[in-house]
Amino acid sequence: MSMLQKMLLAVALSGIATAASASGTNEPPGIETARPMSSAEIYQLYNQNSWMWKAGAGYFSTKARRFTAWSRENGSPSFGMGRWFITESGKLCFNADWHAKTGTATAITCFSHRKKGGLIYQKREPDGQWYVFKSRRAQATDEFAKLRHGDYVSSQLGRIEASVSKAK
């Protein structure tokens, strides 16, 4: 991967990474006995939902498991298009081509999920830290609260695409 592609990925994915790294370095209590979530549980969590990020959003469509996203992280517009999938080991992944003014790069991004009772833990793979994704009683501060039913990406995607294309 070229330096340009690495820089592009860093910008495009930084909004996602911010949520995953915000929890600090200690594992939350209970993670060691939590079980990996099933494919069906993860599907219910993300299917037809948009994950709202600090400066963007990603949408998990049912149709062909299409994944679309946009970002304005650090003021730089970018967008991603690809597919999302779930692994048997409790991971949600999306494989997308990310486009920015500086070029295009492909990236696979995965998040592991574990569950204990009504508590859901999440960790960005491969080297993120576990954090509480959803509390037993969902809190407004949970990352889970950033999942919204419906497509919150398409309305911005055209503008972001046009902005990125003009610069090339």
Side-chain angles (χ1 to χ4, degrees), residues 57-86:
Y59 177 59
F60 302 89
S61 174
T62 298
K63 190 174 184 176
R65 293 266 178 108
R66 184 171 163 82
F67 172 78
T68 52
W70 66 270
S71 173
R72 285 193 184 274
E73 194 70 29
N74 300 323
S76 300
S78 63
F79 67 95
M81 301 181 110
R83 302 269 182 249
W84 64 283
F85 59 96
I86 302 166

Side-chain angles (χ1 to χ4, degrees), residues 10 22 26 33 40 46 50-51 58 63 68 74 77 82 94 98 101 107 122 127 129 142-143 145 152 158 167:
N26 297 330
T33 57
Y46 292 94
S50 293
W51 191 353
K63 190 174 184 176
T68 52
N74 300 323
F94 39 96
W98 290 90
K101 292 177 181 180
Q122 185 184 67
D127 51 15
Q129 299 292 319
D142 288 347
E143 191 66 21
Y152 287 81

Side-chain angles (χ1 to χ4, degrees), residues 36-153:
M37 289 179 67
S38 71
S39 297
E41 289 171 318
I42 294 174
Y43 183 82
Q44 281 185 311
L45 201 57
Y46 292 94
N47 176 51
Q48 294 295 95
N49 284 326
S50 293
W51 191 353
M52 309 306 288
W53 304 324
K54 180 180 176 184
Y59 177 59
F60 302 89
S61 174
T62 298
K63 190 174 184 176
R65 293 266 178 108
R66 184 171 163 82
F67 172 78
T68 52
W70 66 270
S71 173
R72 285 193 184 274
E73 194 70 29
N74 300 323
S76 300
S78 63
F79 67 95
M81 301 181 110
R83 302 269 182 249
W84 64 283
F85 59 96
I86 302 166
T87 70
E88 289 301 319
S89 60
K91 290 181 192 168
L92 163 78
C93 300
F94 39 96
N95 184 358
D97 291 330
W98 290 90
H99 306 266
K101 292 177 181 180
T102 54
T104 300
T106 300
I108 297 176
T109 306
C110 294
F111 290 88
S112 287
H113 295 77
R114 290 188 188 173
K115 189 173 185 179
K116 185 172 184 177
L119 194 62
I120 298 174
Y121 301 97
Q122 185 184 67
K123 170 176 106 159
R124 179 156 178 195
E125 294 295 348
D127 51 15
Q129 299 292 319
W130 286 107
Y131 59 95
V132 174
F133 181 75
K134 180 182 176 280
S135 303
R136 280 179 178 44
R137 288 187 180 162
Q139 306 291 316
T141 56
D142 288 347
E143 191 66 21
F144 171 79
K146 297 177 183 176
L147 291 178
R148 294 193 187 151
H149 186 70
D151 181 356
Y152 287 81
V153 170

